[in-house]
Amino acid sequence: VLYKESVGTGTPTPVTPEMERVKRNQEICSSVLYKENIGKATPTPVTPEMERVKRNQEIISSVLYKENVGKVTPTPITPEMERVKRNQEIISSVLYKENVGQATPTPVTPEMERVKRNQEQISSVAYREGLGKATPSPVTPEMERVKRNQEQISSVLYKEQMAKGTPTPLTPEMERAKRNQENISSVLYSDSFRKQVQGKAAYVLDTPEMRRVRETQKHISTVKYHEDFEKSKGSFTPVVTDPITERVKKNMQDFSDISYRGIQRRVVEMERKRVDQDQENLTG
C-alpha cells in the first residue's frame, strides 16, 4: 500500500508491437539463463533393482509405522457390552435434553416449512446415496395384492381424518374470476414465449456432415429443376380465345405500334399546333 501511495500519476502508454517483441525476447533470455545455471546431469534408467529397492522402502516404512503401535488384546463384543453401550447412548440423550433450558416457541412460517421440505428431500437423497447394492426381488401377485390393500387403507384413513366441509355454489362471479385467471395465465405464457423464444433462431452446428447434406440437396434440387424444364420444353398451354381476349390483344398490338412508330409523339405535336392556330385565329 505504501509503495503504491508513493507512486505518482503516470501516463499510460499503448503496448506496441516493438514492446511485445522486447518482452518476448526478455522471456526467452530468462529461460536460457535459467537453463545455463543448471549443471549437466547424466540420466539413469529405472532398472528392476531400483524398482525392488523402492518397494522395499515402502514396505519398511509401513512395518515401522505398525511397530510403533502397541500390542492389544482383542475382546469379543458380548451382549452385556451391547447393553451397556445402549444405556450410555440413552443416558447421553437424557443428559443432553436436561441441559437444554426453556425456550420461546416460534410460529411455523411458510419459509420454515419450505426449508423443512428441502431438508427432507436432501435427507432422502443422502439416504439413497448411502444405500448399498441390493438384490432385486420379483413382484409377485401376493405383493401386488398387499400393495393395493395398503393404498386402500391409506385412502380410507386419509378421508376419515378430513373434516366435513361446506359446499359452496358455483356463482357467475366465480365463473368470471375463473375465466379471468385463465386469460391472465394465457397472456403471461404468451409474453414469456415471445420474450424467450419468438424471434430467436435455433443455432445448429455447421458440421462437415451438415455441409455435405446441404450440397447434396442443392444438387438434387438442380437436377430436379432441369428435369422438369426438359419435360416442359416444347409444350404449350392451350388458352380459349374469346371476343374479349381478341379485343385486348388488338388493343395491346395498337399500343405497341404507336409506341414503336412514334405516332403518339406526332399526334401530340399536331394537337399543339392546332391549339396554337386556333389561338391565332381568335386574336387575329
Side-chain angles (χ1 to χ4, degrees), residues 225-277:
Y225 172 76
H226 284 290
E227 183 181 353
D228 295 340
F229 175 75
E230 291 295 332
K231 288 181 180 179
S232 61
K233 187 168 65 174
S235 60
F236 61 92
T237 304
V239 180
V240 178
T241 303
D242 53 354
I244 296 176
T245 305
E246 289 290 340
R247 184 176 59 81
V248 171
K249 184 178 179 181
K250 184 177 179 182
N251 291 336
M252 293 302 295
Q253 187 68 35
D254 294 339
F255 283 125
S256 298
D257 292 341
I258 291 171
S259 299
Y260 176 72
R261 297 176 183 178
I263 296 174
Q264 183 69 24
R265 185 172 62 253
R266 282 183 290 177
V267 169
V268 172
E269 291 177 357
M270 293 174 65
E271 183 67 23
R272 188 171 63 251
K273 289 180 181 180
R274 188 182 63 80
V275 172
D276 294 339
Q277 188 176 1

Side-chain angles (χ1 to χ4, degrees), residues 31 43 48 95-96 100 103 111 117 129 197 203 208 229 233 237 252:
S31 176
L95 292 176
Y96 172 75
V100 178
E111 182 66 18
R117 285 196 301 272
E129 289 179 353
V197 180
Y203 296 96
F229 175 75
K233 187 168 65 174
T237 304
M252 293 302 295

Side-chain angles (χ1 to χ4, degrees), residues 139-186:
V139 180
T140 61
E142 181 66 17
M143 294 174 67
E144 288 287 341
R145 185 182 63 80
V146 173
K147 184 179 178 181
R148 284 196 300 272
N149 291 340
Q150 288 292 333
E151 291 175 355
Q152 293 172 0
I153 293 170
S154 300
S155 177
V156 171
L157 293 176
Y158 172 74
K159 293 179 180 178
E160 287 180 353
Q161 293 173 1
M162 294 178 64
K164 294 182 178 180
T166 303
T168 57
L170 190 60
T171 60
E173 181 65 20
M174 293 175 67
E175 288 286 343
R176 185 183 63 80
K178 184 178 178 181
R179 284 196 301 273
N180 290 340
Q181 287 295 328
E182 292 176 355
N183 293 334
I184 292 169
S185 300
S186 177

